[in-house]
């Protein structure tokens, strides 16, 4: 008798167990579901479980690693290598930093004229530049020259990668009519707005936002790895001062 395929993981549930920091819950969610649509998020969660020594974490890590190596989007191999190193107890080069990958992606994919921003290498916070001022962060009252080793400049790369994400998503749609509508939406001025409207009208907005989150997280992770930073996910307990 053929077994039913595993249920696709709910991203909200996966994010909740990740941010709760409950290693057993992480293992249970990842082991019991198809996490392929949320591999970057699942890998972050498994890192938490591995570092806590959770029972079964090595097994789910092996599955996630194999799937990352098969998919090979930006950031997938970096995450796979981190999972293997932690599972094996092997030292790696680079500083570990707790950071929101989405915040890093926002700076990287900002308008080329906005100037990007800075990553605080002590806290993992990101700060966009204000009015193009490259020497002072007005929102936090910080003179960058006072602690130059604390701040990592993040230069914007523009919206090209975001456009490629839309094209990639559209190409993977199996319905011919919808694929055509999405492909048409991304050409010409106002492509991002038209595409957003199109996915909402078609009822595939949730799939698109999950897909986009994966791509953005992977690119941010790859960029950080290139800067010698090993990204770790933020958890709700971090903001409470408990972990």
């Amino acid at each position: 008798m053929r077994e039913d395929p595993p249920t696709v993981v709910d991203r909200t549930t996966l994010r909740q167990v990740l941010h709760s920091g409950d290693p057993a819950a992480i293992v249970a969610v990842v082991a019991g579901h198809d996490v392929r649509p949320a591999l970057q998020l699942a890998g972050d969660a498994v890192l938490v479980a591995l570092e806590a020594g959770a029972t079964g974490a090595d097994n789910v890590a092996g599955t996630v690693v194999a799937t990352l190596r098969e998919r090979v989007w930006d950031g997938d191999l970096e995450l796979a290598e981190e999972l293997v190193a932690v599972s094996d107890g092997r030292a790696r080069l680079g500083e570990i930093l707790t950071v929101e990958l989405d915040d890093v992606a926002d700076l990287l994919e900002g308008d080329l004229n906005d100037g990007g921003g800075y990553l605080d290498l002590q806290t993992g916070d990101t700060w966009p530049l204000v009015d193009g001022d490259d020497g002072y962060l007005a929102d936090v009252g910080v003179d960058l020259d006072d602690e130059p080793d604390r701040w990592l400049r993040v230069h914007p790369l523009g919206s090209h990668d975001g456009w490629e994400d839309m094209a990639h998503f559209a190409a993977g749609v199996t319905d011919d009519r919808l694929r055509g509508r999405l492909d048409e939406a991304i050409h010409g001025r106002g492509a991002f707005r038209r595409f957003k409207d199109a996915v909402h009208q078609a009822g595939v907005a949730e799939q698109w936002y999950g897909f986009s989150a994966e791509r953005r997280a992977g690119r941010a992770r790859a960029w950080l790895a290139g800067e010698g930073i090993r990204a770790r996910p933020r958890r709700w307990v971090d903001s409470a001062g408990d972990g």
Side-chain angles (χ1 to χ4, degrees):
M1 182 176 177
R2 194 173 73 178
E3 295 183 2
D4 293 333
T7 304
V8 174
V9 70
D10 177 71
R11 288 187 65 90
T12 300
T13 300
L14 182 54
R15 188 173 291 280
Q16 286 173 343
V17 295
L18 162 60
H19 287 306
S20 73
D22 184 337
I26 289 170
V27 171
V29 169
V30 175
H33 294 83
D34 176 3
V35 296
R36 285 176 296 178
L39 272 175
Q40 284 283 324
L41 185 57
D44 267 340
V46 173
L47 278 172
V48 173
L50 281 172
E51 292 180 328
T55 301
D58 284 330
N59 290 334
V60 294
T63 300
V64 171
V65 165
T67 313
L68 286 164
R69 287 174 171 170
E70 179 181 356
R71 188 175 71 172
V72 290
W73 287 357
D74 288 343
D76 283 354
L77 294 182
E78 288 84 353
L79 179 53
E81 174 59 25
E82 189 69 12
L83 286 163
V84 170
V86 174
S87 182
D88 292 345
R90 173 164 48 86
R92 292 194 66 204
L93 296 176
E95 295 294 324
I96 291 177
L97 183 66
T98 302
V99 63
E100 283 286 355
L101 293 175
D102 194 53
D103 292 343
V104 177
D106 282 343
L107 292 183
L108 287 172
E109 299 178 18
D111 191 297
L112 292 173
N113 296 320
D114 288 344
Y118 282 86
L119 173 64
D120 187 334
L121 297 178
Q122 290 185 6
T123 67
D125 293 329
T126 55
W127 298 98
L129 289 175
V130 177
D131 298 326
D133 190 340
D134 200 10
Y136 188 78
L137 295 179
D139 287 347
V140 285
V142 170
D143 189 331
L144 299 171
D145 291 333
D146 289 344
E147 298 179 87
D149 294 335
R150 175 177 173 177
W151 305 97
L152 177 62
R153 184 74 163 88
V154 185
H155 294 280
L157 303 176
S159 60
H160 177 73
D161 285 332
W163 187 92
E164 289 287 346
D165 290 347
M166 296 189 298
H168 193 160
F169 182 82
V173 171
T174 55
D175 181 276
D176 291 341
R177 292 183 62 185
L178 177 55
R179 185 169 61 251
R181 285 171 55 195
L182 295 179
D183 185 64
E184 182 179 357
I186 64 175
H187 290 91
R189 294 179 61 86
F192 286 88
R193 175 186 54 77
R194 285 196 307 275
F195 186 86
K196 180 179 179 180
D197 290 343
V199 295
H200 278 275
Q201 291 167 5
V204 295
E206 184 176 353
Q207 294 94 311
W208 158 245
Y209 289 126
F211 178 90
S212 175
E214 277 289 290
R215 303 278 287 188
R216 283 164 51 86
R219 285 194 294 270
R221 189 186 306 279
W223 183 85
L224 289 167
E227 298 293 333
I229 296 170
R230 300 160 57 193
R232 285 294 187 278
R234 284 203 164 159
R235 299 182 292 158
W236 291 331
V237 290
D238 289 334
S239 61
D242 297 328

